[in-house]
Amino acid sequence: MAPAPSAYSTITLNINGEKYTLPVDHRTTLLDALREHLDLTGTKKGCDQGQCGACTLLIDGRRAVSCLQLAVAAEGRDITTIEGVADGERLHPVQQAFLDLDGYQCGYCTPGQICSALGVIEEHAAGWPSAVTDDVRPEAGPPPLSADEIRERMSGNLCRCGAYVSIVQAVAQAAGTQTPEARATEAEEAAA
């Protein structure tokens, strides 16, 4: 009779440019490995069902909800959490935009919002369409990163405090598309 396969593995995760080796149960999510095994608590646990986006991080530069990602499946991939976004003491432009435009209130969802915004900006620059993109033909190029585009692309990240107007403005500013006129128009729309 063959021995039962082990339910544990020792894995090495590449997180924010550093390698971490740890034993994990095969059922351990990436979120739990980060928070409970590595003490990287910037990534937040919200719904634990992939619906709120609080645990969003980047895997190989693409957005992922870490509560639905098994840690063993992330081995060998480049993982970026909120702890790896800034350059030392210098904030990333997305972080600075969230700070400048009050794109947070309680701050719980902010790490996931910022990681998602990083993915949104890269996806848009690569020409990926969204559900509100009018012309999805590749030759059309990226659509303008309008408020509607940003809202659609960020829709997987919920904010219990309702800081959505400021979040949209912060993403637009970080993407280099936010003009003072557009900001004034959005403020008027939000007030109405």
Side-chain angles (χ1 to χ4, degrees):
M1 183 172 193
S6 173
Y8 289 85
S9 291
T10 298
I11 62 172
T12 301
L13 297 175
N14 183 17
I15 304 167
N16 303 323
E18 294 185 37
K19 295 199 180 302
Y20 297 86
T21 301
L22 65 153
V24 294
D25 181 303
H26 293 162
R27 299 165 294 179
T28 302
T29 64
L30 180 55
L31 174 62
D32 288 338
L34 292 169
R35 293 184 58 80
E36 296 175 18
H37 297 277
L38 299 175
D39 202 29
L40 293 169
T41 57
T43 305
K44 302 302 183 205
K45 185 178 271 201
C47 67
D48 215 18
Q49 298 177 21
Q51 295 179 8
C52 73
C55 67
T56 302
L57 44 67
L58 301 171
I59 299 178
D60 295 332
R62 297 192 57 192
R63 298 184 281 170
V65 285
S66 59
C67 70
L68 297 182
Q69 174 79 38
L70 293 176
V72 294
E75 187 170 29
R77 303 184 65 196
D78 288 325
I79 301 163
T80 303
T81 67
I82 192 65
E83 291 93 346
V85 172
D87 182 12
E89 294 296 313
R90 195 177 83 215
L91 295 178
H92 187 282
V94 172
Q95 290 173 304
Q96 190 62 55
F98 269 72
L99 187 61
D100 292 346
L101 297 166
D102 294 327
Y104 58 90
Q105 286 191 17
C106 78
Y108 194 82
C109 72
T110 305
Q113 297 277 0
I114 288 172
C115 287
S116 190
L118 291 166
V120 162
I121 292 167
E122 288 300 316
E123 292 162 12
H124 176 261
W128 295 11
S130 77
V132 298
T133 302
D134 288 331
D135 190 347
V136 297
R137 295 173 300 143
E139 60 271 13
L145 194 53
S146 65
D148 285 342
E149 280 285 341
I150 293 169
R151 280 192 286 273
E152 172 60 29
R153 291 169 187 264
M154 293 289 293
S155 64
N157 291 81
L158 303 179
C159 174
R160 297 175 193 154
C161 301
Y164 295 114
V165 172
S166 297
I167 290 168
V168 170
Q169 290 173 349
V171 174
Q173 177 178 300
T177 61
Q178 185 68 45
T179 64
E181 296 80 26
R183 203 171 314 141
T185 302
E186 283 209 15
E188 291 172 6
E189 289 174 4

